[in-house]
Amino acid sequence: MKSASNFKGTRDYSGTEVRLRDFVISEIRSVFESFGFEPLETPVLELKSTLTGKYGEEAENLLFYLDRPFNKGGLRYDHTVPLARFAASKWNELPKPYKRYSLGPVFRGENPQAGRLRQFVQCDFDTLGSTSPLVDAEIAAITNNVLNNLGLAGKFEIQVNDRCFLDAALNEIGFKDKKEKDKALRAWDKIEKIGTKEATKSLGKEFQKITAEMISGTEVSDLFTSKNSKESLQKITDLLDLINDMGVPDKNIRFNPLLARGLSYYTGPIFETVVKDSEIGSISGGGRYDKLISDLGGPDVPASGSSFGVERLLFVLEKLEIRPKFEYSQRILVTIFGEEFMKDSVKTADYLREKGLIVELYSDYSDNISKQLKYANKKKFDYAVIIGEEEKANGKITAKNLKSSEQQQLAIEDFSKLLK
Amino acid sequence: MKSASNFKGTRDYSGTEVRLRDFVISEIRSVFESFGFEPLETPVLELKSTLTGKYGEEAENLLFYLDRPFNKGGLRYDHTVPLARFAASKWNELPKPYKRYSLGPVFRGENPQAGRLRQFVQCDFDTLGSTSPLVDAEIAAITNNVLNNLGLAGKFEIQVNDRCFLDAALNEIGFKDKKEKDKALRAWDKIEKIGTKEATKSLGKEFQKITAEMISGTEVSDLFTSKNSKESLQKITDLLDLINDMGVPDKNIRFNPLLARGLSYYTGPIFETVVKDSEIGSISGGGRYDKLISDLGGPDVPASGSSFGVERLLFVLEKLEIRPKFEYSQRILVTIFGEEFMKDSVKTADYLREKGLIVELYSDYSDNISKQLKYANKKKFDYAVIIGEEEKANGKITAKNLKSSEQQQLAIEDFSKLLK
């Protein structure tokens, strides 16, 4: 090994970091399951022909390809392309609509920045084959439940908009062709990052004026009055009602007429979740994308879904000092007083483990007890168990509480009862 | 997408397949945790300089490397190389001995065969920094607990041997240099696959004679009587005693003097687990490898550990028709009788989900109830809930048991109580 470095833009997680990541992922999984979504696990490796030519050049530049002799392959960039491939091969067999979730790492050859790695975990849920607004409303309901379960209640806002409204509004402003519209959408998208002036500078006075009014809080129904605008605003109102009926309170959700979402593939409602004081853009986002699955080579079906970024969620939890409570068993180190007591310690460890406890047996019996206790403290064990002459003679063990430093001699059965 | 094919040697898992995989992995994790092992999650991508020159040419030919501009990187081949890299960078901070486990996919550019994929999940546990036989004995204890928990009790055998015994025995037979010995070990390793005659053919009459006696069951202590042989046989006896003390019954473990394990890096006790009638070589294997971590560029510390192959375990479970019991919540489809009943169904679904149930809301209210029920059956739901004119008037719901086809009208609160 020439160096002990990680591949650029990747990192290791150990101990409690992993347990916290697993906890977050398992909470997300459990909400997805509770809405009837089925798991789908696709491989990390995909054919290059599946991966390319989908999202345009920008995404293609971020793909990792394999070297010869495996140069037909590359690493998945997201969970949507694999979903399209899977749906293409299995559509006839799948229940329709097909509601699936995918959890796992995706890979992007970006230059790493704070909080942006080249390998990161995305948790996606999507419904293929339904145009129902219920499917769109579920995006908000699922997001709401996940964030509440993770301890973020009261701290997040799910922003909603609709590409149909944006399209109607841009038509009213006077933008007609797709290129112009995309430019305007990108401008709105960038306001939070670079400010209104910079974002809108090359898009004309009228656009700047209306943008300013939207930001200042003027009712959009006063600004946009065309038939299409009115209809799409009504659609948003109905969607918000549905979301309410799904148990999401008003304070957790907001219509943001300036929300555009960079990706041009959305065709209907769009969502983005922002956590207050988190110093991070968004922790989840998605919407309706009725053309994308067929563009990606899948069946020609409508689709709607969203995605959580696990690293972003963990960043926010740390930032807000929210420590989700995940259950810990009591952790016990069984020490070994010396070689002649080894058998007693081995059997004690086995007994306690059978009672469902987490029990490490200290391995090197030639180490003195003080070294063994130091190790127990370093690994943050709750108890150390000691069996020496006296304990052996009494048929008992000594249990030392490592938090309080109190210790007591008692029968092993009583100790295991104490901890349950 | 030119084709909807997977990258050669990879496959998708969906629905219950994923749930079963997750269940197996979580049982393994839970046993590792119960012995005090800490999780370590390393990235899929590693530097080429970390990956190469370790296990010899054979392994290097199976590595996946990235193409330019990322050609410094490749995909991990196992969890041991990343462990060595991690230990090299963090050794001073880690508790010693360092007991860690790693669960996740590894990648090998092999030609796929039945049951051998290019991406598969390995679950490793290893102890770095201890020469204690307790650490070796734990390999058997952990293996025993994992397999019992997965429902394989009574169906597996953990085979044990020791490289020190093999070395002493080969010395007695007359093999002196490492090359000769490796050839002899590989021969013993291959007996089960290709038969004794074929495996031992170029290794001389004496070797063939002794091999035949070992296979016929002659006591190895009668065959090998040098001081080294006797000492190493005593070491194996002591290890088997320790393993017994750790709660592993005699019938689950057997000294197999012909077990060699192909990899030349083992230096002490070795283990391999075989499941009867499974038509598969082994589902876990490992042992002591005191030189490997430093050979891999990590700290110069003794090490011992083992690994489970998830796909192999699943293959065996299926073969033996063992279906691990993982808890299912009752799964409910809330149907929608028509657009005017949508709100009632939405609220009912939300209510039941809040009670902790798995509740899918049918999305397309224009579909008739019979189509909705068909969907519920296809997705193997337990109940369908129907709310129409009559139910709405009565303030009740109709719950249809999809297994028995019985249905009853009752209050939603009573229905949710019924299912808890």
Side-chain angles (χ1 to χ4, degrees):
Chain A
M1 199 179 299
K2 278 167 206 135
S3 79
S5 303
N6 288 65
F7 182 77
K8 192 178 164 189
T10 69
R11 53 158 301 195
D12 305 311
Y13 302 93
S14 67
T16 306
E17 280 179 312
V18 180
R19 295 193 187 102
L20 182 58
R21 285 169 69 81
D22 286 348
F23 171 80
V24 166
I25 292 167
S26 97
E27 287 295 308
I28 291 172
R29 176 194 291 118
S30 134
V31 172
F32 290 173
E33 288 269 345
S34 78
F35 278 79
F37 285 75
E38 297 267 317
L40 172 65
E41 194 180 313
T42 65
V44 163
L45 294 172
E46 290 281 355
L47 286 172
K48 202 188 271 194
S49 56
T50 305
L51 294 168
T52 52
K54 303 312 176 284
Y55 294 139
E57 226 174 283
E58 207 181 317
E60 269 181 52
N61 287 337
L62 302 178
L63 285 169
F64 287 109
Y65 298 118
L66 294 179
D67 201 358
R68 286 162 210 248
F70 304 109
N71 51 338
K72 280 188 181 167
L75 272 58
R76 66 179 173 205
Y77 166 96
D78 67 8
H79 293 306
T80 311
V81 168
L83 169 63
R85 177 189 51 71
F86 177 78
S89 67
K90 301 274 177 184
W91 189 248
N92 290 332
E93 301 158 39
L94 294 170
K96 283 156 209 83
Y98 178 52
K99 299 171 96 79
R100 84 85 183 83
Y101 66 88
S102 286
L103 318 169
V106 300
F107 301 84
R108 292 185 193 172
E110 296 184 90
N111 267 331
Q113 301 169 11
R116 189 189 292 177
L117 292 167
R118 285 172 161 182
Q119 171 178 339
F120 54 95
V121 173
Q122 281 204 325
C123 302
D124 284 27
F125 63 99
D126 298 88
T127 301
L128 264 53
S130 170
T131 54
S132 168
L134 290 168
V135 165
D136 304 322
E138 271 184 351
I139 293 176
I142 287 172
T143 304
N144 181 70
N145 288 11
V146 165
L147 299 182
N148 282 341
N149 290 2
L150 290 177
L152 288 165
K155 300 184 194 289
F156 64 89
E157 184 181 72
I158 303 167
Q159 300 185 356
V160 188
N161 200 0
D162 193 309
R163 277 290 173 90
C164 300
F165 162 69
L166 287 167
D167 196 64
L170 290 172
N171 273 329
E172 263 194 81
I173 295 175
F175 293 98
K176 298 295 175 193
D177 74 74
K178 194 178 173 316
K179 263 198 178 162
E180 273 184 324
K181 283 178 183 170
D182 279 356
K183 211 174 152 195
L185 289 180
R186 272 199 297 274
W188 280 347
D189 221 28
K190 275 193 273 182
I191 285 176
E192 292 231 347
K193 271 188 203 148
I194 61 172
T196 316
K197 207 178 155 187
E198 181 65 21
T200 63
K201 66 181 175 187
S202 64
L203 283 150
K205 286 259 178 282
E206 179 67 6
F207 183 75
Q208 287 173 334
K209 193 179 132 252
I210 290 189
T211 302
E213 291 207 58
M214 288 165 84
I215 290 172
S216 73
T218 308
E219 282 288 336
V220 283
S221 54
D222 295 336
L223 289 169
F224 303 103
T225 53
S226 74
K227 183 171 168 286
N228 280 346
S229 295
K230 277 186 175 167
E231 273 178 17
S232 56
L233 284 170
Q234 185 56 48
K235 203 180 129 199
I236 293 172
T237 308
D238 292 345
L239 180 64
L240 289 168
D241 281 350
L242 258 185
I243 291 170
N244 272 167
D245 290 338
M246 285 187 177
V248 182
D250 274 332
K251 63 174 168 35
N252 290 3
I253 191 139
R254 180 171 67 90
F255 168 40
N256 174 4
L258 287 159
L259 176 69
R261 295 211 32 90
L263 297 166
S264 62
Y265 58 67
Y266 289 109
T267 58
I270 48 180
F271 300 86
E272 206 165 276
T273 311
V274 176
V275 176
K276 291 160 207 160
D277 310 317
S278 69
E279 294 176 23
I280 213 166
S282 67
I283 51 169
S284 78
R288 177 163 284 283
Y289 53 98
D290 285 346
K291 303 292 170 212
L292 183 67
I293 293 295
S294 65
D295 284 353
L296 290 174
D300 185 9
V301 291
S304 186
S306 182
S307 181
F308 293 91
V310 169
E311 284 76 9
R312 288 180 157 241
L313 273 168
L314 285 164
F315 181 89
V316 164
L317 291 174
E318 197 181 323
K319 190 89 204 159
L320 302 185
E321 296 183 0
I322 296 167
R323 312 214 190 295
K325 279 178 215 137
F326 46 101
E327 291 289 316
Y328 263 131
S329 287
Q330 301 271 13
R331 295 158 63 81
I332 301 154
L333 184 80
V334 174
T335 63
I336 307 185
F337 208 75
E339 194 174 355
E340 68 273 34
F341 300 100
M342 186 170 76
K343 220 181 179 69
D344 308 279
S345 286
V346 168
K347 290 188 166 178
T348 300
D350 181 48
Y351 177 88
L352 293 171
R353 206 175 282 125
E354 278 202 0
K355 299 291 172 194
L357 296 161
I358 292 181
V359 187
E360 182 171 335
L361 179 65
Y362 194 82
S363 52
D364 290 305
Y365 42 77
S366 54
D367 291 340
N368 62 33
I369 289 291
S370 105
K371 188 172 176 188
Q372 299 187 33
L373 291 176
K374 225 164 153 181
Y375 173 81
N377 280 316
K378 179 148 191 176
K379 281 189 79 172
K380 299 202 173 89
F381 280 87
D382 299 291
Y383 283 90
V385 165
I386 302 164
I387 304 156
E389 283 306 350
E390 197 186 314
E391 289 85 354
K392 204 170 167 174
N394 298 342
K396 298 202 166 172
I397 58 139
T398 290
K400 184 182 168 88
N401 182 320
L402 297 169
K403 305 275 180 311
S404 68
S405 288
E406 280 165 32
Q407 57 180 58
Q408 54 178 322
Q409 233 181 68
L410 72 179
I412 180 72
E413 298 80 12
D414 295 334
F415 177 60
S416 81
K417 272 180 216 152
L418 185 80
L419 298 187
K420 293 305 277 187
Chain B
M1 198 178 299
K2 277 166 208 137
S3 80
S5 301
N6 287 64
F7 182 77
K8 190 178 165 189
T10 69
R11 54 157 299 196
D12 305 310
Y13 302 92
S14 66
T16 304
E17 280 180 311
V18 180
R19 294 193 188 102
L20 182 58
R21 286 169 69 81
D22 287 347
F23 170 80
V24 166
I25 292 168
S26 99
E27 287 295 308
I28 292 172
R29 177 196 289 119
S30 136
V31 173
F32 291 172
E33 288 269 344
S34 78
F35 278 78
F37 286 74
E38 297 267 317
L40 171 65
E41 194 180 314
T42 65
V44 164
L45 294 172
E46 291 281 355
L47 285 172
K48 201 187 270 193
S49 56
T50 304
L51 294 168
T52 53
K54 304 310 178 281
Y55 294 138
E57 224 175 285
E58 206 180 318
E60 268 180 53
N61 286 338
L62 303 178
L63 285 169
F64 287 109
Y65 298 118
L66 294 179
D67 200 359
R68 284 163 213 245
F70 303 109
N71 52 337
K72 281 187 181 168
L75 272 58
R76 65 179 175 205
Y77 167 95
D78 66 8
H79 293 306
T80 311
V81 168
L83 170 62
R85 175 189 53 68
F86 177 78
S89 66
K90 301 275 179 188
W91 189 249
N92 291 332
E93 302 157 39
L94 293 170
K96 282 154 210 88
Y98 178 52
K99 298 170 97 78
R100 84 87 185 80
Y101 66 88
S102 286
L103 320 168
V106 300
F107 300 84
R108 293 185 192 171
E110 297 182 270
N111 267 331
Q113 301 169 12
R116 189 188 291 177
L117 293 166
R118 285 173 160 181
Q119 171 177 339
F120 55 95
V121 173
Q122 281 204 326
C123 302
D124 284 28
F125 63 99
D126 298 88
T127 301
L128 265 53
S130 170
T131 55
S132 169
L134 289 168
V135 165
D136 304 322
E138 272 184 352
I139 293 175
I142 287 173
T143 304
N144 181 68
N145 289 10
V146 165
L147 299 183
N148 282 341
N149 290 1
L150 290 177
L152 288 165
K155 300 185 193 288
F156 64 90
E157 183 181 71
I158 304 167
Q159 301 186 356
V160 189
N161 200 358
D162 193 308
R163 276 290 171 92
C164 300
F165 162 70
L166 288 168
D167 196 64
L170 290 173
N171 273 329
E172 264 195 80
I173 295 175
F175 293 98
K176 298 296 176 194
D177 73 73
K178 194 177 172 315
K179 264 199 177 161
E180 272 185 326
K181 284 178 182 168
D182 279 356
K183 211 175 153 194
L185 290 181
R186 271 198 299 275
W188 279 347
D189 221 28
K190 275 192 275 185
I191 286 175
E192 293 233 344
K193 272 187 203 149
I194 62 173
T196 316
K197 204 178 160 189
E198 179 66 21
T200 63
K201 65 180 176 187
S202 63
L203 282 150
K205 287 258 177 283
E206 178 67 6
F207 183 76
Q208 288 174 334
K209 190 180 136 254
I210 292 191
T211 302
E213 292 208 53
M214 288 166 83
I215 290 173
S216 73
T218 308
E219 281 290 331
V220 282
S221 55
D222 296 336
L223 289 169
F224 303 103
T225 53
S226 75
K227 185 170 167 284
N228 280 345
S229 294
K230 278 185 175 168
E231 273 176 17
S232 57
L233 284 170
Q234 184 56 49
K235 205 180 127 199
I236 292 173
T237 307
D238 292 345
L239 180 65
L240 289 168
D241 279 350
L242 258 184
I243 291 169
N244 271 166
D245 290 337
M246 286 187 178
V248 182
D250 274 333
K251 63 174 167 37
N252 290 3
I253 191 139
R254 179 170 69 91
F255 167 41
N256 175 2
L258 286 160
L259 176 68
R261 292 205 42 83
L263 297 165
S264 63
Y265 58 66
Y266 290 108
T267 58
I270 47 179
F271 300 87
E272 208 165 274
T273 312
V274 176
V275 175
K276 291 162 207 157
D277 310 318
S278 69
E279 293 176 25
I280 212 165
S282 68
I283 51 168
S284 78
R288 178 163 285 282
Y289 53 98
D290 284 346
K291 304 292 170 214
L292 182 67
I293 292 295
S294 65
D295 284 353
L296 291 174
D300 185 10
V301 292
S304 186
S306 182
S307 182
F308 294 90
V310 169
E311 284 76 7
R312 287 180 158 240
L313 273 169
L314 286 164
F315 180 89
V316 165
L317 292 175
E318 197 181 323
K319 190 88 204 160
L320 303 185
E321 295 183 2
I322 295 167
R323 311 214 190 295
K325 278 177 215 140
F326 47 103
E327 291 289 317
Y328 263 132
S329 287
Q330 301 268 14
R331 297 158 60 83
I332 301 153
L333 184 80
V334 174
T335 63
I336 308 185
F337 208 75
E339 193 173 356
E340 68 274 34
F341 300 99
M342 184 171 74
K343 218 181 181 66
D344 308 278
S345 287
V346 169
K347 289 187 168 181
T348 299
D350 181 48
Y351 177 89
L352 293 170
R353 206 175 282 126
E354 278 201 1
K355 299 291 172 196
L357 296 161
I358 291 180
V359 186
E360 181 170 335
L361 179 65
Y362 195 82
S363 51
D364 290 305
Y365 42 78
S366 54
D367 290 342
N368 63 32
I369 289 291
S370 106
K371 187 171 175 189
Q372 298 187 33
L373 291 176
K374 224 165 155 180
Y375 173 81
N377 280 317
K378 179 148 192 178
K379 281 190 77 171
K380 300 201 171 90
F381 280 87
D382 299 290
Y383 282 90
V385 165
I386 302 164
I387 305 157
E389 285 303 352
E390 196 185 317
E391 290 85 355
K392 205 172 166 171
N394 297 343
K396 298 201 167 172
I397 58 140
T398 289
K400 184 182 169 89
N401 183 321
L402 296 169
K403 305 277 179 311
S404 68
S405 287
E406 280 166 29
Q407 57 180 59
Q408 54 177 322
Q409 235 182 66
L410 73 178
I412 179 74
E413 297 80 13
D414 296 332
F415 177 59
S416 79
K417 271 180 218 154
L418 185 81
L419 298 186
K420 293 305 276 185

